[in-house]
Amino acid sequence: MKLSLKFSLSVILLIAAVLSLGCVLFLQQDFDENIRQAKTAAAQEHSRQAALIQMMLDEDSPDSQGAVSSSLFQYADSLKSYGAQSQLALYQGELMAFSSLDLSVNESIYMPLIRQCRENGADMQLLTQIGQEYWLLSCSAVPYKDYEVELVMARRVSDVFARRDRSAAWFMRIELLVVSLAAVAAVIVGSVLTRPLARLNRTARAIAGGELSARTNIHGSDEIAQLSHSFDHMADVVQSQIDQLSLSVTQRDDFIAAFTHEIKTPMTCIIGYADILREADADAATLQSAADAIYHDARRLETLSQKLLLLYRLNREQTLPMLPVPLESIWREAAGALANPPRVKWADPMGGRVLGDEALLTNLMQNLVQNALRSLPAQGGWVAVTAEAEKDGVKITVTDNGCGMTPEQLHRVTEPFYMVDKSRARSMNGSGIGLALCARIAELHGSTLHFESEPGVGTRCSFCLPQPPNKEQ
């Protein structure tokens, strides 16, 4: 069953139950009030008749049972001459002196009431149904000497019950009309309220069918809108993770292809020159050239394998032991590994210290400077290394006036095996792993490489390292 239908049925049942309860309470209260008024009127009339009968007996002063009966009959008969419509019966002991009661109101109905009145010594009333009619019977004793005189009066109250039945029928018609209107309104409101859920359902099916960009785009601040916002956010996260997974697969495929190419090129050279060495009639110069080429490509493979192993190890690392390291020591070790090229200007670190792993930071500086050297022109090129204190640590910058990079190249520069100028990189024993290593080392030190570059102008790479506390400096 649809939610809108469940909502409509719930509203209809609730309205019907509330209206029915209200009608029952109202009708019962109105009926009780009408019965109370009828009883009060009957009691007042009964009291008046009892007082008149007692006054008549006191005036006539009958002294025998027969005389009392005769006086009662004469009084009751005289009521007809005054046009009185009261239905009453007069009893003297067990003998009826007079009765103008309806034939349906027989002694078997009111005699038990007379006995209760005698036993209790109080006025009694009885509401009873006789056939299709409802009657209110009243009984009281009229004191006169030692004689027992009882007055019984009957009042028809069927109109009170008929009024209740008419009101109930009228209320039923009103309730049917109200419930019908409420049913129409509930269906419309239920459809409007569940419309966002239908859209949410369609969006979920669309996403399940492969349309990952589908969104509910439901606006508002109620619970359904909040659910839709959460669903859209979840879809965004899932799509982002799928995109990242797809990117990872693409990068893995690119990595494998690039790695295969980088291995294939030096291996082809090594095999080719090794074949030359196998020729017995090769002259000394040819043999020397082949040996140099084999050595060069073997060193290139060795460098590539070392950097791959280091990158693999660093990708598995989550944290590093952070120790105070003098910047001067990093400068010195990196410059030594690069054989102190004259075109690199190392700014005086002024005794600065940073927190990190000295070997990895040296590797980071060596690769950044080496990458900058490969971009320099043959004449007039330079690389500058600077360090300046900032609020959050020490900012280290490597600047060159090399060939520079386009925004597209700058976006991919830290991908493994990506080379801006492959021929130049390979001629200078480059592997395309250096900047990927630098990015991972900076990340493990809580930093990020920031590149600024312009083709034909040069490139600037900067990152920030934390400083040790004052007591450790």
Side-chain angles (χ1 to χ4, degrees), residues 1 73 75 93 99 104 150 165 190 283 317 347 443 468:
M1 184 182 294
F73 182 85
Y75 170 78
S99 176
S104 61
E150 284 82 26
D165 295 340
D283 55 42
E317 293 285 349
E443 183 181 356

mmCIF file of all heavy atoms in Angstrom, residues 1 73 75 93 99 104 150 165 190 283 317 347 443 468:
data_model
loop_
_atom_site.group_PDB
_atom_site.id
_atom_site.type_symbol
_atom_site.label_atom_id
_atom_site.label_comp_id
_atom_site.label_asym_id
_atom_site.label_seq_id
_atom_site.Cartn_x
_atom_site.Cartn_y
_atom_site.Cartn_z
ATOM 1 N N MET A 1 0.843 -1.186 0.000
ATOM 2 C CA MET A 1 0.000 0.000 0.000
ATOM 3 C C MET A 1 0.886 1.247 0.000
ATOM 4 O O MET A 1 1.848 1.322 0.760
ATOM 5 C CB MET A 1 -0.910 0.012 1.238
ATOM 6 C CG MET A 1 -1.889 1.187 1.252
ATOM 7 S SD MET A 1 -2.897 1.201 2.759
ATOM 8 C CE MET A 1 -3.857 -0.295 2.525
ATOM 9 N N PHE A 73 -61.673 9.568 44.887
ATOM 10 C CA PHE A 73 -62.285 9.409 43.565
ATOM 11 C C PHE A 73 -62.926 10.725 43.114
ATOM 12 O O PHE A 73 -62.788 11.116 41.954
ATOM 13 C CB PHE A 73 -63.337 8.294 43.618
ATOM 14 C CG PHE A 73 -63.975 8.035 42.298
ATOM 15 C CD1 PHE A 73 -63.383 7.189 41.369
ATOM 16 C CD2 PHE A 73 -65.199 8.668 41.960
ATOM 17 C CE1 PHE A 73 -63.982 6.961 40.142
ATOM 18 C CE2 PHE A 73 -65.779 8.438 40.726
ATOM 19 C CZ PHE A 73 -65.171 7.584 39.814
ATOM 20 N N TYR A 75 -62.055 13.723 43.983
ATOM 21 C CA TYR A 75 -61.015 14.712 43.633
ATOM 22 C C TYR A 75 -60.437 14.412 42.242
ATOM 23 O O TYR A 75 -60.310 15.311 41.405
ATOM 24 C CB TYR A 75 -59.890 14.690 44.670
ATOM 25 C CG TYR A 75 -58.690 15.515 44.238
ATOM 26 C CD1 TYR A 75 -58.717 16.906 44.343
ATOM 27 C CD2 TYR A 75 -57.560 14.902 43.690
ATOM 28 C CE1 TYR A 75 -57.641 17.661 43.918
ATOM 29 C CE2 TYR A 75 -56.484 15.653 43.267
ATOM 30 C CZ TYR A 75 -56.518 17.038 43.378
ATOM 31 O OH TYR A 75 -55.461 17.792 42.954
ATOM 32 N N GLY A 93 -53.932 1.731 50.320
ATOM 33 C CA GLY A 93 -53.457 0.386 50.610
ATOM 34 C C GLY A 93 -53.216 -0.349 49.303
ATOM 35 O O GLY A 93 -52.522 0.138 48.408
ATOM 36 N N SER A 99 -57.887 5.747 38.658
ATOM 37 C CA SER A 99 -56.774 5.625 37.716
ATOM 38 C C SER A 99 -57.164 6.243 36.375
ATOM 39 O O SER A 99 -58.226 5.914 35.829
ATOM 40 C CB SER A 99 -56.379 4.164 37.500
ATOM 41 O OG SER A 99 -55.355 4.080 36.500
ATOM 42 N N SER A 104 -51.620 0.979 28.639
ATOM 43 C CA SER A 104 -50.364 0.225 28.568
ATOM 44 C C SER A 104 -49.603 0.257 29.880
ATOM 45 O O SER A 104 -48.741 -0.590 30.136
ATOM 46 C CB SER A 104 -49.474 0.781 27.438
ATOM 47 O OG SER A 104 -49.156 2.144 27.691
ATOM 48 N N GLU A 150 -51.342 6.456 48.367
ATOM 49 C CA GLU A 150 -50.195 6.626 47.441
ATOM 50 C C GLU A 150 -50.677 7.242 46.139
ATOM 51 O O GLU A 150 -51.749 6.882 45.636
ATOM 52 C CB GLU A 150 -49.520 5.284 47.113
ATOM 53 C CG GLU A 150 -48.647 4.763 48.227
ATOM 54 C CD GLU A 150 -49.433 4.044 49.303
ATOM 55 O OE1 GLU A 150 -50.529 3.524 48.965
ATOM 56 O OE2 GLU A 150 -48.982 3.996 50.462
ATOM 57 N N ASP A 165 -32.784 10.505 18.824
ATOM 58 C CA ASP A 165 -32.596 9.735 17.585
ATOM 59 C C ASP A 165 -32.486 10.660 16.377
ATOM 60 O O ASP A 165 -31.682 10.413 15.465
ATOM 61 C CB ASP A 165 -33.760 8.764 17.403
ATOM 62 C CG ASP A 165 -33.791 7.692 18.488
ATOM 63 O OD1 ASP A 165 -32.728 7.471 19.128
ATOM 64 O OD2 ASP A 165 -34.864 7.080 18.698
ATOM 65 N N GLY A 190 -1.872 14.123 1.087
ATOM 66 C CA GLY A 190 -0.958 12.980 1.083
ATOM 67 C C GLY A 190 -0.142 12.908 -0.191
ATOM 68 O O GLY A 190 1.048 12.609 -0.175
ATOM 69 N N ASP A 283 86.086 -2.695 -32.985
ATOM 70 C CA ASP A 283 87.302 -1.980 -32.578
ATOM 71 C C ASP A 283 87.145 -1.486 -31.152
ATOM 72 O O ASP A 283 86.062 -1.511 -30.548
ATOM 73 C CB ASP A 283 87.581 -0.830 -33.534
ATOM 74 C CG ASP A 283 86.405 0.116 -33.661
ATOM 75 O OD1 ASP A 283 85.779 0.438 -32.625
ATOM 76 O OD2 ASP A 283 86.051 0.525 -34.792
ATOM 77 N N GLU A 317 53.921 4.378 4.515
ATOM 78 C CA GLU A 317 54.142 5.075 5.783
ATOM 79 C C GLU A 317 52.975 6.015 6.077
ATOM 80 O O GLU A 317 52.412 6.626 5.183
ATOM 81 C CB GLU A 317 55.440 5.888 5.736
ATOM 82 C CG GLU A 317 56.696 5.048 5.642
ATOM 83 C CD GLU A 317 57.059 4.386 6.966
ATOM 84 O OE1 GLU A 317 56.458 4.745 7.998
ATOM 85 O OE2 GLU A 317 57.934 3.510 6.970
ATOM 86 N N ALA A 347 70.818 29.934 -0.475
ATOM 87 C CA ALA A 347 70.784 31.063 0.460
ATOM 88 C C ALA A 347 71.187 30.597 1.849
ATOM 89 O O ALA A 347 70.959 29.435 2.239
ATOM 90 C CB ALA A 347 69.382 31.662 0.492
ATOM 91 N N GLU A 443 54.109 15.625 2.060
ATOM 92 C CA GLU A 443 52.854 15.233 2.704
ATOM 93 C C GLU A 443 53.105 14.572 4.046
ATOM 94 O O GLU A 443 52.398 14.836 5.028
ATOM 95 C CB GLU A 443 52.083 14.290 1.779
ATOM 96 C CG GLU A 443 50.723 13.873 2.315
ATOM 97 C CD GLU A 443 49.992 12.931 1.387
ATOM 98 O OE1 GLU A 443 50.517 12.653 0.290
ATOM 99 O OE2 GLU A 443 48.900 12.458 1.746
ATOM 100 N N PRO A 468 60.919 23.256 15.383
ATOM 101 C CA PRO A 468 60.890 22.620 16.706
ATOM 102 C C PRO A 468 60.563 23.661 17.778
ATOM 103 O O PRO A 468 60.752 24.863 17.556
ATOM 104 C CB PRO A 468 62.310 22.071 16.863
ATOM 105 C CG PRO A 468 63.159 22.902 15.979
ATOM 106 C CD PRO A 468 62.291 23.300 14.820
#
